[in-house]
Amino acid sequence: MRLSLIWLAVITLSACGWHLRGISPIPDGYRILYLQGSGNTGFDQALNQQLQFNGVVLTEHAVDAPAQLVIQSYEIERRTLSLSTNGQVAEYELNGRLSALLSRPENGINTEILVRSRRTLSNDVNNVVATANEERQQRSAIEKDLASKLLRRLQGIRDNKNTTTSTPATQP
């Protein structure tokens, strides 16, 4: 009985198209890529790691690659989400935004990509060190989330001239 339930769950999940995240197939025209990042940040490191994990070869010079990914802007802003009864900040919201341009100069193809991510952060005024550590962890999670979303956008790229793709901000 237990075995039949397991098989039923496996068949149901495979029939709906669900699969584990892992290696994302990148279109052939983008497997060799020049990455112009925003500097040596945690985001750049997360993106480099995910690109290399998915079989993308990163070149040192733009002329060596048929495609170029330029990180135009990357920012994480913190804003007050709510206040406590005594007027102190109770929660913050961290909003990550990434704008990139993917181009294939020989084909004249330019694709603008915009991805966003959002997290909430509780502010414990009695434990400032823990709040700072939590914010650092949330920022790191946003960086990884933005890199994953950018990779999924690369996975779905089609060779249409001058397109724009974007994603709404989500909260896990």
Side-chain angles (χ1 to χ4, degrees):
M1 180 66 179
R2 178 183 278 170
L3 185 60
S4 62
L5 288 175
I6 291 173
W7 275 108
L8 179 64
V10 168
I11 290 171
T12 303
L13 286 176
S14 65
C16 75
W18 182 86
H19 61 280
L20 290 172
R21 286 188 188 169
I23 295 177
S24 302
I26 304 295
D28 291 335
Y30 300 100
R31 289 195 184 270
I32 299 174
L33 188 68
Y34 174 71
L35 177 64
Q36 181 179 341
S38 59
N40 192 13
T41 64
F43 170 75
D44 286 334
Q45 292 170 356
L47 182 59
N48 279 335
Q49 183 181 27
Q50 286 194 16
L51 286 169
Q52 290 174 355
F53 178 74
N54 285 285
V56 175
V57 176
L58 298 174
T59 65
E60 293 290 324
H61 305 287
V63 296
D64 297 335
Q68 300 172 6
L69 179 63
V70 178
I71 306 301
Q72 295 176 323
S73 68
Y74 162 74
E75 63 184 357
I76 298 177
E77 73 170 357
R78 183 179 79 170
R79 69 181 194 105
T80 302
L81 189 61
S82 65
L83 299 173
S84 64
T85 55
N86 58 358
Q88 294 178 325
V89 176
E91 286 182 312
Y92 289 109
E93 180 179 66
L94 298 174
N95 292 309
R97 182 180 179 279
L98 170 72
S99 175
L101 178 67
L102 181 65
S103 63
R104 293 190 61 189
E106 72 274 358
N107 296 346
I109 297 172
N110 293 319
T111 305
E112 293 182 27
I113 302 171
L114 176 65
V115 291
R116 298 173 190 211
S117 184
R118 179 182 321 167
R119 299 281 193 281
T120 57
L121 172 67
S122 296
N123 183 33
D124 185 359
V125 294
N126 297 324
N127 196 349
V128 177
V129 174
T131 300
N133 286 338
E134 178 67 18
E135 182 174 352
R136 205 170 17 259
Q137 290 174 352
Q138 292 292 345
R139 284 179 181 270
S140 177
I142 287 175
E143 290 171 350
K144 290 176 184 173
D145 191 36
L146 289 173
S148 294
K149 287 180 179 182
L150 179 59
L151 199 64
R152 285 195 299 274
R153 291 288 178 266
L154 291 175
Q155 179 183 3
I157 291 293
R158 303 287 179 252
D159 284 344
N160 297 330
K161 290 191 177 193
N162 299 324
T163 59
T164 302
T165 63
S166 65
T167 183
T170 57
Q171 175 139 357

mmCIF file with all atom_site columns, all heavy atoms in Angstrom, residues 111-126:
data_model
loop_
_atom_site.group_PDB
_atom_site.id
_atom_site.type_symbol
_atom_site.label_atom_id
_atom_site.label_alt_id
_atom_site.label_comp_id
_atom_site.label_asym_id
_atom_site.label_entity_id
_atom_site.label_seq_id
_atom_site.pdbx_PDB_ins_code
_atom_site.Cartn_x
_atom_site.Cartn_y
_atom_site.Cartn_z
_atom_site.occupancy
_atom_site.B_iso_or_equiv
_atom_site.pdbx_formal_charge
_atom_site.auth_seq_id
_atom_site.auth_comp_id
_atom_site.auth_asym_id
_atom_site.auth_atom_id
_atom_site.pdbx_PDB_model_num
ATOM 1   N N   . THR A 1 111 ? 18.598 42.211 -25.233 1.00 0.00 ? 111 THR A N   1
ATOM 2   C CA  . THR A 1 111 ? 17.491 41.847 -24.363 1.00 0.00 ? 111 THR A CA  1
ATOM 3   C C   . THR A 1 111 ? 17.714 42.477 -23.005 1.00 0.00 ? 111 THR A C   1
ATOM 4   O O   . THR A 1 111 ? 18.723 42.207 -22.355 1.00 0.00 ? 111 THR A O   1
ATOM 5   C CB  . THR A 1 111 ? 17.382 40.315 -24.205 1.00 0.00 ? 111 THR A CB  1
ATOM 6   O OG1 . THR A 1 111 ? 17.279 39.724 -25.499 1.00 0.00 ? 111 THR A OG1 1
ATOM 7   C CG2 . THR A 1 111 ? 16.175 39.938 -23.386 1.00 0.00 ? 111 THR A CG2 1
ATOM 8   N N   . GLU A 1 112 ? 16.787 43.322 -22.589 1.00 0.00 ? 112 GLU A N   1
ATOM 9   C CA  . GLU A 1 112 ? 16.860 43.908 -21.255 1.00 0.00 ? 112 GLU A CA  1
ATOM 10  C C   . GLU A 1 112 ? 16.163 42.973 -20.281 1.00 0.00 ? 112 GLU A C   1
ATOM 11  O O   . GLU A 1 112 ? 15.073 42.472 -20.559 1.00 0.00 ? 112 GLU A O   1
ATOM 12  C CB  . GLU A 1 112 ? 16.186 45.272 -21.235 1.00 0.00 ? 112 GLU A CB  1
ATOM 13  C CG  . GLU A 1 112 ? 16.917 46.316 -22.049 1.00 0.00 ? 112 GLU A CG  1
ATOM 14  C CD  . GLU A 1 112 ? 16.248 47.671 -21.974 1.00 0.00 ? 112 GLU A CD  1
ATOM 15  O OE1 . GLU A 1 112 ? 15.572 47.951 -20.970 1.00 0.00 ? 112 GLU A OE1 1
ATOM 16  O OE2 . GLU A 1 112 ? 16.417 48.431 -22.930 1.00 0.00 ? 112 GLU A OE2 1
ATOM 17  N N   . ILE A 1 113 ? 16.792 42.767 -19.135 1.00 0.00 ? 113 ILE A N   1
ATOM 18  C CA  . ILE A 1 113 ? 16.254 41.863 -18.125 1.00 0.00 ? 113 ILE A CA  1
ATOM 19  C C   . ILE A 1 113 ? 16.145 42.629 -16.813 1.00 0.00 ? 113 ILE A C   1
ATOM 20  O O   . ILE A 1 113 ? 17.101 43.276 -16.386 1.00 0.00 ? 113 ILE A O   1
ATOM 21  C CB  . ILE A 1 113 ? 17.157 40.627 -17.937 1.00 0.00 ? 113 ILE A CB  1
ATOM 22  C CG1 . ILE A 1 113 ? 17.317 39.879 -19.264 1.00 0.00 ? 113 ILE A CG1 1
ATOM 23  C CG2 . ILE A 1 113 ? 16.597 39.715 -16.860 1.00 0.00 ? 113 ILE A CG2 1
ATOM 24  C CD1 . ILE A 1 113 ? 18.343 38.783 -19.231 1.00 0.00 ? 113 ILE A CD1 1
ATOM 25  N N   . LEU A 1 114 ? 14.994 42.539 -16.175 1.00 0.00 ? 114 LEU A N   1
ATOM 26  C CA  . LEU A 1 114 ? 14.762 43.178 -14.878 1.00 0.00 ? 114 LEU A CA  1
ATOM 27  C C   . LEU A 1 114 ? 14.205 42.132 -13.928 1.00 0.00 ? 114 LEU A C   1
ATOM 28  O O   . LEU A 1 114 ? 13.182 41.510 -14.210 1.00 0.00 ? 114 LEU A O   1
ATOM 29  C CB  . LEU A 1 114 ? 13.773 44.343 -15.017 1.00 0.00 ? 114 LEU A CB  1
ATOM 30  C CG  . LEU A 1 114 ? 13.365 45.037 -13.728 1.00 0.00 ? 114 LEU A CG  1
ATOM 31  C CD1 . LEU A 1 114 ? 14.561 45.734 -13.089 1.00 0.00 ? 114 LEU A CD1 1
ATOM 32  C CD2 . LEU A 1 114 ? 12.253 46.026 -13.990 1.00 0.00 ? 114 LEU A CD2 1
ATOM 33  N N   . VAL A 1 115 ? 14.890 41.902 -12.817 1.00 0.00 ? 115 VAL A N   1
ATOM 34  C CA  . VAL A 1 115 ? 14.419 40.960 -11.805 1.00 0.00 ? 115 VAL A CA  1
ATOM 35  C C   . VAL A 1 115 ? 14.389 41.656 -10.452 1.00 0.00 ? 115 VAL A C   1
ATOM 36  O O   . VAL A 1 115 ? 15.188 42.550 -10.179 1.00 0.00 ? 115 VAL A O   1
ATOM 37  C CB  . VAL A 1 115 ? 15.265 39.668 -11.742 1.00 0.00 ? 115 VAL A CB  1
ATOM 38  C CG1 . VAL A 1 115 ? 15.063 38.821 -12.973 1.00 0.00 ? 115 VAL A CG1 1
ATOM 39  C CG2 . VAL A 1 115 ? 16.727 39.966 -11.552 1.00 0.00 ? 115 VAL A CG2 1
ATOM 40  N N   . ARG A 1 116 ? 13.444 41.216 -9.635  1.00 0.00 ? 116 ARG A N   1
ATOM 41  C CA  . ARG A 1 116 ? 13.273 41.803 -8.301  1.00 0.00 ? 116 ARG A CA  1
ATOM 42  C C   . ARG A 1 116 ? 13.060 40.712 -7.270  1.00 0.00 ? 116 ARG A C   1
ATOM 43  O O   . ARG A 1 116 ? 12.576 39.640 -7.584  1.00 0.00 ? 116 ARG A O   1
ATOM 44  C CB  . ARG A 1 116 ? 12.056 42.722 -8.292  1.00 0.00 ? 116 ARG A CB  1
ATOM 45  C CG  . ARG A 1 116 ? 12.183 43.875 -9.225  1.00 0.00 ? 116 ARG A CG  1
ATOM 46  C CD  . ARG A 1 116 ? 10.915 44.654 -9.301  1.00 0.00 ? 116 ARG A CD  1
ATOM 47  N NE  . ARG A 1 116 ? 11.034 45.596 -10.393 1.00 0.00 ? 116 ARG A NE  1
ATOM 48  C CZ  . ARG A 1 116 ? 10.464 46.760 -10.434 1.00 0.00 ? 116 ARG A CZ  1
ATOM 49  N NH1 . ARG A 1 116 ? 9.706  47.147 -9.456  1.00 0.00 ? 116 ARG A NH1 1
ATOM 50  N NH2 . ARG A 1 116 ? 10.636 47.556 -11.455 1.00 0.00 ? 116 ARG A NH2 1
ATOM 51  N N   . SER A 1 117 ? 13.386 41.055 -6.034  1.00 0.00 ? 117 SER A N   1
ATOM 52  C CA  . SER A 1 117 ? 13.179 40.139 -4.919  1.00 0.00 ? 117 SER A CA  1
ATOM 53  C C   . SER A 1 117 ? 12.901 40.967 -3.668  1.00 0.00 ? 117 SER A C   1
ATOM 54  O O   . SER A 1 117 ? 13.397 42.086 -3.537  1.00 0.00 ? 117 SER A O   1
ATOM 55  C CB  . SER A 1 117 ? 14.419 39.275 -4.712  1.00 0.00 ? 117 SER A CB  1
ATOM 56  O OG  . SER A 1 117 ? 14.209 38.329 -3.695  1.00 0.00 ? 117 SER A OG  1
ATOM 57  N N   . ARG A 1 118 ? 12.119 40.413 -2.772  1.00 0.00 ? 118 ARG A N   1
ATOM 58  C CA  . ARG A 1 118 ? 11.721 41.152 -1.564  1.00 0.00 ? 118 ARG A CA  1
ATOM 59  C C   . ARG A 1 118 ? 11.752 40.225 -0.348  1.00 0.00 ? 118 ARG A C   1
ATOM 60  O O   . ARG A 1 118 ? 11.377 39.067 -0.429  1.00 0.00 ? 118 ARG A O   1
ATOM 61  C CB  . ARG A 1 118 ? 10.308 41.687 -1.764  1.00 0.00 ? 118 ARG A CB  1
ATOM 62  C CG  . ARG A 1 118 ? 9.772  42.449 -0.587  1.00 0.00 ? 118 ARG A CG  1
ATOM 63  C CD  . ARG A 1 118 ? 8.364  42.925 -0.813  1.00 0.00 ? 118 ARG A CD  1
ATOM 64  N NE  . ARG A 1 118 ? 8.208  43.370 -2.192  1.00 0.00 ? 118 ARG A NE  1
ATOM 65  C CZ  . ARG A 1 118 ? 7.051  43.608 -2.760  1.00 0.00 ? 118 ARG A CZ  1
ATOM 66  N NH1 . ARG A 1 118 ? 5.946  43.449 -2.108  1.00 0.00 ? 118 ARG A NH1 1
ATOM 67  N NH2 . ARG A 1 118 ? 6.984  44.006 -4.006  1.00 0.00 ? 118 ARG A NH2 1
ATOM 68  N N   . ARG A 1 119 ? 12.178 40.778 0.767   1.00 0.00 ? 119 ARG A N   1
ATOM 69  C CA  . ARG A 1 119 ? 12.186 40.063 2.040   1.00 0.00 ? 119 ARG A CA  1
ATOM 70  C C   . ARG A 1 119 ? 11.747 41.033 3.138   1.00 0.00 ? 119 ARG A C   1
ATOM 71  O O   . ARG A 1 119 ? 11.958 42.229 3.040   1.00 0.00 ? 119 ARG A O   1
ATOM 72  C CB  . ARG A 1 119 ? 13.588 39.566 2.407   1.00 0.00 ? 119 ARG A CB  1
ATOM 73  C CG  . ARG A 1 119 ? 14.221 38.593 1.454   1.00 0.00 ? 119 ARG A CG  1
ATOM 74  C CD  . ARG A 1 119 ? 13.667 37.195 1.666   1.00 0.00 ? 119 ARG A CD  1
ATOM 75  N NE  . ARG A 1 119 ? 14.427 36.174 1.013   1.00 0.00 ? 119 ARG A NE  1
ATOM 76  C CZ  . ARG A 1 119 ? 14.375 35.871 -0.269  1.00 0.00 ? 119 ARG A CZ  1
ATOM 77  N NH1 . ARG A 1 119 ? 13.600 36.568 -1.053  1.00 0.00 ? 119 ARG A NH1 1
ATOM 78  N NH2 . ARG A 1 119 ? 15.089 34.904 -0.776  1.00 0.00 ? 119 ARG A NH2 1
ATOM 79  N N   . THR A 1 120 ? 11.160 40.483 4.194   1.00 0.00 ? 120 THR A N   1
ATOM 80  C CA  . THR A 1 120 ? 10.844 41.300 5.367   1.00 0.00 ? 120 THR A CA  1
ATOM 81  C C   . THR A 1 120 ? 11.788 40.909 6.495   1.00 0.00 ? 120 THR A C   1
ATOM 82  O O   . THR A 1 120 ? 12.265 39.778 6.570   1.00 0.00 ? 120 THR A O   1
ATOM 83  C CB  . THR A 1 120 ? 9.381  41.107 5.827   1.00 0.00 ? 120 THR A CB  1
ATOM 84  O OG1 . THR A 1 120 ? 9.157  39.740 6.099   1.00 0.00 ? 120 THR A OG1 1
ATOM 85  C CG2 . THR A 1 120 ? 8.416  41.597 4.769   1.00 0.00 ? 120 THR A CG2 1
ATOM 86  N N   . LEU A 1 121 ? 12.031 41.868 7.368   1.00 0.00 ? 121 LEU A N   1
ATOM 87  C CA  . LEU A 1 121 ? 12.995 41.700 8.439   1.00 0.00 ? 121 LEU A CA  1
ATOM 88  C C   . LEU A 1 121 ? 12.424 42.298 9.716   1.00 0.00 ? 121 LEU A C   1
ATOM 89  O O   . LEU A 1 121 ? 12.066 43.481 9.739   1.00 0.00 ? 121 LEU A O   1
ATOM 90  C CB  . LEU A 1 121 ? 14.291 42.418 8.038   1.00 0.00 ? 121 LEU A CB  1
ATOM 91  C CG  . LEU A 1 121 ? 15.402 42.570 9.049   1.00 0.00 ? 121 LEU A CG  1
ATOM 92  C CD1 . LEU A 1 121 ? 15.991 41.205 9.374   1.00 0.00 ? 121 LEU A CD1 1
ATOM 93  C CD2 . LEU A 1 121 ? 16.477 43.496 8.503   1.00 0.00 ? 121 LEU A CD2 1
ATOM 94  N N   . SER A 1 122 ? 12.312 41.502 10.753  1.00 0.00 ? 122 SER A N   1
ATOM 95  C CA  . SER A 1 122 ? 11.852 42.003 12.051  1.00 0.00 ? 122 SER A CA  1
ATOM 96  C C   . SER A 1 122 ? 12.991 42.728 12.743  1.00 0.00 ? 122 SER A C   1
ATOM 97  O O   . SER A 1 122 ? 14.140 42.285 12.701  1.00 0.00 ? 122 SER A O   1
ATOM 98  C CB  . SER A 1 122 ? 11.370 40.850 12.936  1.00 0.00 ? 122 SER A CB  1
ATOM 99  O OG  . SER A 1 122 ? 10.256 40.235 12.360  1.00 0.00 ? 122 SER A OG  1
ATOM 100 N N   . ASN A 1 123 ? 12.675 43.843 13.386  1.00 0.00 ? 123 ASN A N   1
ATOM 101 C CA  . ASN A 1 123 ? 13.673 44.642 14.081  1.00 0.00 ? 123 ASN A CA  1
ATOM 102 C C   . ASN A 1 123 ? 13.486 44.468 15.587  1.00 0.00 ? 123 ASN A C   1
ATOM 103 O O   . ASN A 1 123 ? 12.508 44.919 16.159  1.00 0.00 ? 123 ASN A O   1
ATOM 104 C CB  . ASN A 1 123 ? 13.528 46.117 13.695  1.00 0.00 ? 123 ASN A CB  1
ATOM 105 C CG  . ASN A 1 123 ? 14.586 46.979 14.337  1.00 0.00 ? 123 ASN A CG  1
ATOM 106 O OD1 . ASN A 1 123 ? 15.709 46.540 14.539  1.00 0.00 ? 123 ASN A OD1 1
ATOM 107 N ND2 . ASN A 1 123 ? 14.227 48.205 14.659  1.00 0.00 ? 123 ASN A ND2 1
ATOM 108 N N   . ASP A 1 124 ? 14.437 43.820 16.220  1.00 0.00 ? 124 ASP A N   1
ATOM 109 C CA  . ASP A 1 124 ? 14.403 43.643 17.668  1.00 0.00 ? 124 ASP A CA  1
ATOM 110 C C   . ASP A 1 124 ? 15.291 44.729 18.285  1.00 0.00 ? 124 ASP A C   1
ATOM 111 O O   . ASP A 1 124 ? 16.519 44.642 18.228  1.00 0.00 ? 124 ASP A O   1
ATOM 112 C CB  . ASP A 1 124 ? 14.913 42.252 18.039  1.00 0.00 ? 124 ASP A CB  1
ATOM 113 C CG  . ASP A 1 124 ? 14.803 41.955 19.525  1.00 0.00 ? 124 ASP A CG  1
ATOM 114 O OD1 . ASP A 1 124 ? 14.349 42.842 20.290  1.00 0.00 ? 124 ASP A OD1 1
ATOM 115 O OD2 . ASP A 1 124 ? 15.178 40.834 19.926  1.00 0.00 ? 124 ASP A OD2 1
ATOM 116 N N   . VAL A 1 125 ? 14.667 45.748 18.868  1.00 0.00 ? 125 VAL A N   1
ATOM 117 C CA  . VAL A 1 125 ? 15.434 46.869 19.418  1.00 0.00 ? 125 VAL A CA  1
ATOM 118 C C   . VAL A 1 125 ? 16.244 46.455 20.641  1.00 0.00 ? 125 VAL A C   1
ATOM 119 O O   . VAL A 1 125 ? 17.188 47.150 21.029  1.00 0.00 ? 125 VAL A O   1
ATOM 120 C CB  . VAL A 1 125 ? 14.525 48.069 19.765  1.00 0.00 ? 125 VAL A CB  1
ATOM 121 C CG1 . VAL A 1 125 ? 13.928 48.646 18.497  1.00 0.00 ? 125 VAL A CG1 1
ATOM 122 C CG2 . VAL A 1 125 ? 13.455 47.685 20.760  1.00 0.00 ? 125 VAL A CG2 1
ATOM 123 N N   . ASN A 1 126 ? 15.911 45.343 21.263  1.00 0.00 ? 126 ASN A N   1
ATOM 124 C CA  . ASN A 1 126 ? 16.641 44.855 22.429  1.00 0.00 ? 126 ASN A CA  1
ATOM 125 C C   . ASN A 1 126 ? 17.840 43.985 22.053  1.00 0.00 ? 126 ASN A C   1
ATOM 126 O O   . ASN A 1 126 ? 18.663 43.676 22.903  1.00 0.00 ? 126 ASN A O   1
ATOM 127 C CB  . ASN A 1 126 ? 15.708 44.059 23.344  1.00 0.00 ? 126 ASN A CB  1
ATOM 128 C CG  . ASN A 1 126 ? 14.602 44.934 23.903  1.00 0.00 ? 126 ASN A CG  1
ATOM 129 O OD1 . ASN A 1 126 ? 14.826 46.104 24.199  1.00 0.00 ? 126 ASN A OD1 1
ATOM 130 N ND2 . ASN A 1 126 ? 13.414 44.382 24.005  1.00 0.00 ? 126 ASN A ND2 1
#
